[in-house]
Amino acid sequence: MADEKENNGEKKYKYSIIIPTYNERLNIAIIVYLIFKHLRDVDFEIVVVDDGSPDGTQEIVMQLQKLYGEDRILLRARAKKLGLGTAYIHGLKYASGDFVVIMDADLSHHPKYLPSFIKKQLETNASIVTGTRYVKGGGVHGWNLMRKLTSRGANVLAQTFLWPGVSDLTGSFR
């Protein structure tokens, strides 16, 4: 992990944002733009882990590297689709930040919430800050009924059997 920097007596941290992709050619430029827009005063890098997307996602990421810099956008491609969990693990190997953010490329996790995540983490010294769909102001956009029911059902089961003390165990916006 990178060393924290001093900024007018305050600690300034670096954040590594891991974004797994598979066929996200249409979304990746939008989400990268929104991250840069909402984190103007934050030191961060974006680690894109692409699982061999046949739609040209990697080529778009390479164009973004030319625009924003290869030090800010890291493409860590894999040969084929290996799954979301292993994509996060792969991305962690290349993360150089003091803290890690994981989020989806499908725009279900809006980057406008990243500043509030960072603020909450700094205020509370929390190890983990997570977004949830199941509180006032939370929710999802673009999901069909089956996906919503599956997510809700998985969370009800987890709450019933595990009692984890969090409202959304199936989300991956942390």
Side-chain angles (χ1 to χ4, degrees), residues 26-44:
L26 299 177
N27 293 333
I28 192 63
I30 297 167
I31 198 157
V32 166
Y33 165 77
L34 289 170
I35 290 169
F36 274 89
K37 176 183 176 184
H38 291 287
L39 295 182
R40 287 191 174 139
D41 299 324
V42 176
D43 185 14
F44 68 91

Side-chain angles (χ1 to χ4, degrees), residues 97-133:
D98 300 293
F99 297 100
V100 174
V101 176
I102 59 175
M103 60 190 302
D104 291 344
D106 65 1
L107 300 171
S108 62
H109 305 145
H110 199 292
K112 71 182 178 183
Y113 297 111
L114 291 173
S116 61
F117 274 41
I118 291 169
K119 182 180 179 193
K120 177 64 86 175
Q121 188 277 322
L122 292 173
E123 288 174 351
T124 64
N125 200 30
S127 297
I128 297 174
V129 177
T130 185
T132 180
R133 298 163 278 210

Side-chain angles (χ1 to χ4, degrees), residues 130-173:
T130 185
T132 180
R133 298 163 278 210
Y134 304 119
V135 295
K136 185 177 181 180
V140 295
H141 302 284
W143 280 17
N144 64 30
L145 180 61
M146 187 52 130
R147 188 168 177 192
K148 289 178 182 179
L149 289 173
T150 301
S151 173
R152 182 60 90 172
N155 277 287
V156 167
L157 283 172
Q159 293 295 337
T160 301
F161 293 112
L162 302 175
W163 297 10
V166 296
S167 62
D168 191 351
L169 288 175
T170 61
S172 59
F173 194 19

Side-chain angles (χ1 to χ4, degrees), residues 47-51 65 70 74-78 90-91 94:
V47 182
V48 178
V49 180
D50 185 72
D51 274 1
Q65 287 178 311
E70 290 184 25
L74 289 71
L75 174 59
R76 298 301 179 251
R78 302 190 302 173
H90 188 74
Y94 299 98

Side-chain angles (χ1 to χ4, degrees), residues 1-76:
M1 294 287 170
D3 293 329
E4 58 200 44
K5 299 173 188 168
E6 290 287 331
N7 185 22
N8 295 332
E10 293 182 21
K11 295 177 183 173
K12 186 167 172 98
Y13 296 103
K14 180 177 180 180
Y15 296 83
S16 295
I17 303 168
I18 301 174
I19 304 178
T21 59
Y22 185 76
N23 287 342
E24 296 291 353
R25 178 181 170 276
L26 299 177
N27 293 333
I28 192 63
I30 297 167
I31 198 157
V32 166
Y33 165 77
L34 289 170
I35 290 169
F36 274 89
K37 176 183 176 184
H38 291 287
L39 295 182
R40 287 191 174 139
D41 299 324
V42 176
D43 185 14
F44 68 91
E45 65 186 3
I46 300 172
V47 182
V48 178
V49 180
D50 185 72
D51 274 1
S53 295
D55 73 339
T57 299
Q58 290 182 30
E59 289 76 14
I60 299 297
V61 174
M62 286 185 249
Q63 291 176 20
L64 292 168
Q65 287 178 311
K66 290 176 186 171
L67 182 63
Y68 293 105
E70 290 184 25
D71 60 324
R72 301 294 301 276
I73 310 281
L74 289 71
L75 174 59
R76 298 301 179 251

